[in-house]
Amino acid sequence: MSNVTVPFFRPSFSDDEKKAVCSCIDSGWLTTGKITHDFEDKFARFIGSKYALAVNSNTSGMILALEACGVKNGNAVITTPYTFVSTASSAVHLGADVFFADTEKDSYSINPDNVEKILQNDREHKIKAIIPVHIAGNLCNMKKICALAEKYSTAGNKIFVIEDCAHSFPSKTNDGYAGTLGDVGVFSFYATKTMTTGEGGMVTTNSSFLAERMSCMRLHGMNRDAWDRYTSPKASWQYDIVAPGFKFNLPDILSAIGIVQLEKAELFAEKRKKIVSIYNNAFKDMDFLTLPPDSPGNAWHLYLLRLNLDKIDCSRDIFAKELQDEGIGISMHFIPLYHFSFWKEKYSLLSPGDFCNAENHFQRTISIPLWPDMSVEMAETVIQTVKKIGMKHYASKKKN
């Protein structure tokens, strides 16, 4: 095996991003302003959304979306336990409860049938939103989820669909549609995502009402933004606070990076798919592995290596540790929320047994390196390392 160490992820930057940042610095305006507005316009056009609002994280965007949809104390949301903690904790920050639906058996997506069971038992109409999470770039069954939201909405309680799109840019639906089907989409530009601003995110919607509310709430509940107040020669210093908002805006210096990264999004996607193809061709005939779920329009944010634990004599944790010992960067997507102390204490009845599919995915999944500028040599290093470790434990299992 090559001695090359393969990091789990490395951002794909060039002089273009550096020039964009320097240009922003030279302009004298660093916080949310003209560049951020330009970034929002470009992103909205890219995915076909009427409105796009840049925020400082996916978490911030999720809180804004939930608040704009009316989620508050006494309400509840439905999501999956197989997600990063912020998907659910955003609702808790607003005082809402969280109901968890298991994933599908053969994919990491939330199971619409389990969502419907929860909706059927919502006698008090507490549920205000469904939050499907698009894991690793694969899209959930959005048509069915949106149909459920419509079916169980009442005259006094509309159920919103807020898509956690942290992994799904630039995924496309079967008919090539790049946007979201729910009421709101919340994207992430964290350092390891398919495009990055270091920290940051974007909220998209086709609703003028939701867009206006989120725009106001992302900057202290002000009815005017700083760019207008400080740069217009006719601008008044006066403004109003119409709600107790948040500080969730994205500054121009990060938006400048985002514009450049957005221009490269399709190229990045093609590069990731090339690495995925190399992985798939190598792993498809390894008896101790199952290839990751795939579907048309997959963004391939992550490559989820799935171990067939009945074929090897070690656990996922041991396999992962041996990969790390060989210099291969790995991660786990995700530790289901019911494994964490807070969620155990808040919902004492939660246990792995309640979420058989999510638990099965968790116990056998490892995220291996996948990023646009990975070389073929790096991909081959990962493959040979996986094969060496896997065959060792496969042979030992057969022997015993």
Side-chain angles (χ1 to χ4, degrees):
M1 186 188 75
S2 168
N3 291 323
V4 175
T5 298
V6 185
F8 175 68
F9 185 85
R10 185 177 291 160
S12 298
F13 283 170
S14 68
D15 286 342
D16 296 332
E17 285 85 357
K18 296 176 185 178
K19 290 176 182 177
V21 169
C22 289
S23 178
C24 179
I25 292 173
D26 291 341
S27 75
W29 188 268
L30 303 182
T31 190
T32 307
K34 183 178 180 181
I35 295 175
T36 298
H37 295 327
D38 187 27
F39 183 29
E40 292 171 334
D41 290 342
K42 284 180 165 61
F43 194 88
R45 287 198 298 272
F46 189 99
I47 70 165
S49 176
K50 288 184 180 179
Y51 307 98
L53 302 169
V55 289
N56 57 17
S57 70
N58 171 277
T59 305
S60 299
M62 188 61 65
I63 294 173
L64 283 178
L66 288 165
E67 195 278 340
C69 292
V71 174
K72 59 184 183 298
N73 186 40
N75 293 146
V77 305
I78 301 174
T79 193
T80 169
Y82 205 89
T83 183
F84 187 61
V85 64
S86 63
T87 308
S89 62
S90 296
V92 174
H93 284 309
L94 296 171
D97 286 328
V98 182
F99 297 138
F100 294 108
D102 200 4
T103 64
E104 296 175 325
K105 182 178 180 179
D106 297 322
S107 85
Y108 298 84
S109 297
I110 193 169
N111 189 329
D113 293 336
N114 292 346
V115 170
E116 182 161 27
K117 289 178 182 178
I118 296 172
L119 289 168
Q120 288 172 339
N121 291 323
D122 183 28
R123 311 299 185 197
E124 299 177 1
H125 301 294
K126 291 178 59 176
I127 295 168
K128 194 71 177 174
I130 305 169
I131 312 175
V133 183
H134 305 305
I135 304 293
N138 263 312
L139 297 179
C140 299
N141 188 338
M142 290 310 304
K143 289 185 178 179
K144 192 165 185 178
I145 291 170
C146 290
L148 287 174
E150 183 177 356
K151 177 180 177 180
Y152 288 93
S153 290
T154 64
N157 182 54
K158 171 178 168 56
I159 298 175
F160 292 86
V161 176
I162 302 172
E163 298 180 48
D164 189 331
C165 303
H167 288 188
S168 64
F169 181 80
S171 295
K172 293 180 174 64
T173 58
N174 291 345
D175 55 4
Y177 178 57
T180 56
L181 297 181
D183 297 283
V184 185
V186 187
F187 296 82
S188 173
F189 305 139
Y190 180 65
T192 60
K193 295 302 187 286
T194 54
M195 62 166 280
T196 183
T197 57
E199 294 280 1
M202 192 75 74
V203 187
T204 63
T205 184
N206 290 321
S207 165
S208 59
F209 169 79
L210 294 177
E212 183 177 347
R213 178 66 179 182
M214 291 187 291
S215 179
C216 173
M217 292 298 287
R218 73 172 162 174
L219 193 60
H220 303 297
M222 291 183 184
N223 64 343
R224 296 173 57 201
D225 63 26
W227 170 252
D228 174 62
R229 290 184 289 114
Y230 288 130
T231 61
S232 174
K234 297 181 180 179
S236 167
W237 52 266
Q238 293 180 322
Y239 58 86
D240 192 17
I241 300 294
V242 298
F246 309 98
K247 184 70 168 69
F248 288 164
N249 58 302
L250 188 71
D252 272 11
I253 199 165
L254 297 185
S255 294
I257 298 173
I259 290 173
V260 176
Q261 289 271 295
L262 181 62
E263 292 170 352
K264 301 177 181 179
E266 296 287 5
L267 175 61
F268 287 165
E270 290 305 312
K271 286 184 173 182
R272 287 194 306 277
K273 288 176 185 177
K274 178 182 177 181
I275 300 299
V276 168
S277 179
I278 294 172
Y279 280 161
N280 282 347
N281 286 334
F283 294 147
K284 66 183 180 181
D285 296 323
M286 294 185 187
D287 200 27
F288 56 89
L289 297 177
T290 298
L291 296 184
D294 192 12
S295 62
N298 192 346
W300 284 109
H301 166 50
L302 299 171
Y303 194 93
L304 302 179
L305 191 72
R306 303 198 292 174
L307 304 176
N308 295 330
L309 295 177
D310 60 327
K311 301 288 186 179
I312 55 178
D313 71 342
C314 72
S315 67
R316 184 275 320 275
D317 291 355
I318 290 174
F319 202 108
K321 178 63 165 56
E322 291 185 7
L323 282 173
Q324 290 178 307
D325 290 344
E326 293 281 347
I328 306 300
I330 60 97
S331 188
M332 298 295 174
H333 295 87
F334 288 100
I335 304 172
L337 300 189
Y338 50 76
H339 280 276
F340 295 119
S341 298
F342 171 80
W343 296 100
K344 286 181 182 178
E345 294 168 5
K346 184 173 178 62
Y347 300 108
S348 59
L349 297 179
L350 286 180
S351 71
D354 297 325
F355 307 97
C356 296
N357 294 334
E359 186 64 19
N360 180 56
H361 293 322
F362 169 58
Q363 293 295 341
R364 69 190 190 105
T365 300
I366 306 170
S367 297
I368 60 174
L370 176 60
W371 34 282
D373 292 338
M374 273 185 70
S375 65
V376 173
E377 180 187 16
M378 287 180 173
E380 291 295 341
T381 297
V382 175
I383 291 166
Q384 292 306 315
T385 307
V386 169
K387 183 177 180 179
K388 183 177 79 169
I389 295 170
M391 289 307 297
K392 177 184 70 173
H393 292 289
Y394 180 75
S396 179
K397 176 78 171 183
K398 289 190 72 174
K399 181 178 178 181
N400 295 329

